[in-house]
Amino acid sequence: MTAEAARTATEPRPPDGGLPEPAERGALGIDRTVLRKIVEHAADEVAGGARVRRRLAGVGLGEHGASAHVAGPDRELRIRLDVVLRYPAPVRETVRRMRERIAADLERIADCRVRTVDVTVSAMVRAGKRQRVE
């Protein structure tokens, strides 16, 4: 038995036999990679965003959507987001919806607060454009 398990086993239980109060149970840390994935998924779900083919030296590497970098403490996250939008989607409106969705999803899923979301629109692709088969 580990020292942590032994300490937990010897802690007094509440009279009803349930778990100790949440504040007394410990802490939860969420890796920045998980937060980054939440941000990217949220951005990709907003209408007007696009996924594009990724190529390196002429070789197809599949598709990718939004790309994010997350920094700062959980209560003041700073996010840098790179997205591709569909033309003629209204850029300001689409980016506003992305920011709102990202903040709402991080709050709901990870109990994190967003301080800033800096968005770079790196490209625009025609809506309805068919992807070529490789």
Side-chain angles (χ1 to χ4, degrees), residues 83-105:
V83 297
V84 175
L85 300 182
R86 296 204 177 279
Y87 178 81
V91 175
R92 288 181 191 216
E93 177 65 20
T94 303
V95 169
R96 182 190 61 75
R97 287 193 321 260
M98 283 181 178
R99 285 183 173 123
E100 289 174 355
R101 173 75 184 260
I102 288 165
D105 282 6

Side-chain angles (χ1 to χ4, degrees), residues 4 7-8 11-14 16 18-29 111:
E4 178 65 22
R7 186 186 60 78
T8 304
E11 285 181 355
R13 292 266 185 194
D16 63 0
L19 293 173
E21 290 298 315
E24 298 172 9
R25 291 185 207 161
L28 171 66
D111 194 28

